[in-house]
Amino acid sequence: MNQIAPTRTVMTSAAFAAAVLFSSAAHANAAAVDRQPLRLEQPDLEEVYDGDYVIVALGAGYVPDYEGADEYGVQVGGAVRGSVAGIAFKTSGIGLELDLIPNLPGDIELSFGPEIQYSAVRTGSVKDEIVDMLPELDSTVELGFSAGISKKNLLTPVDSLALSYGMRWDVSGKGAGRQSRISLSYFTALSKGMGAGVSVGASWHDDKWADYYYTITPEGSAATDGALPVYEADGGMKDWDAKAYWGMDLDGDFRNGGFGIATSLVYERLQGSAAETPIVSMRGDRDQFMVLAGVGYAF
């Protein structure tokens, strides 16, 4: 599926959502259930998440044709997440994120590490015939970092609150600029094999980023026979979003690995140039909705 503007992984890879939701639920439950707040029976099994582990996932999502589109379709994908020798990793679309800070004892956890992302946007056809007339963009490579802090045992012994921040720069020389994102999420275990959570987040971009993805040049306007007017985009807030998610282990216990399923509902509200560009204001919708679901296997 072609993308007009770069989207976060939750939009471009439903399988990543499955991997993240499943592993987040699993990892949180593996630690939280040991404190016996619900007096759950403890199985005599080695806990997968005590050491190295890997989760592979496949998923599908009903998502906009491009970020800001008012036409939707089904997208599928795959993802991998895990931890080896204390270093956590996860794929992010066509990219990779690392967490170089091992988990420490106690209720506070920190994360920090590099991330790299390959972004291939507007490289093929889209459903909207006018937007499809715009010139294609070059693919970019983005390099940056992500950092976070989480607090367990916030309201109950089986919940956690996490704050994360990330920033990436285009390093491919295409002039795509910089973007950043912040999010706050709350997760709670519902049982030793089920968990749910909610999150809110927002993102920003600089002038170069906005110009690369949202500006309509005179040449672009001419390519659409004037259907899309010339527009000069500016940096600023790009969007805010809210998510609700749920995950379940199919044998009733996240700690022993195996198969799990996850689903997520997402609402996103585009802001500034991301909403005002004619690609969205004239041909799409600043209100974006997504439904994601997937299956993962942990070993």
Side-chain angles (χ1 to χ4, degrees), residues 199-213:
S199 71
V200 292
S203 64
W204 292 261
H205 50 225
D206 65 6
D207 288 341
K208 289 183 177 180
W209 179 277
D211 182 63
Y212 192 76
Y213 291 107

Side-chain angles (χ1 to χ4, degrees), residues 28-29 31-40 42 153 155-159 188-189 191-192:
N29 282 20
V33 170
D34 283 342
R35 290 187 284 273
Q36 296 273 3
L38 304 178
R39 302 189 181 279
L40 301 172
Q42 300 295 306
N153 301 322
L155 301 176
T156 74
V158 290
D159 70 352
T188 185
S191 72
K192 64 182 179 181

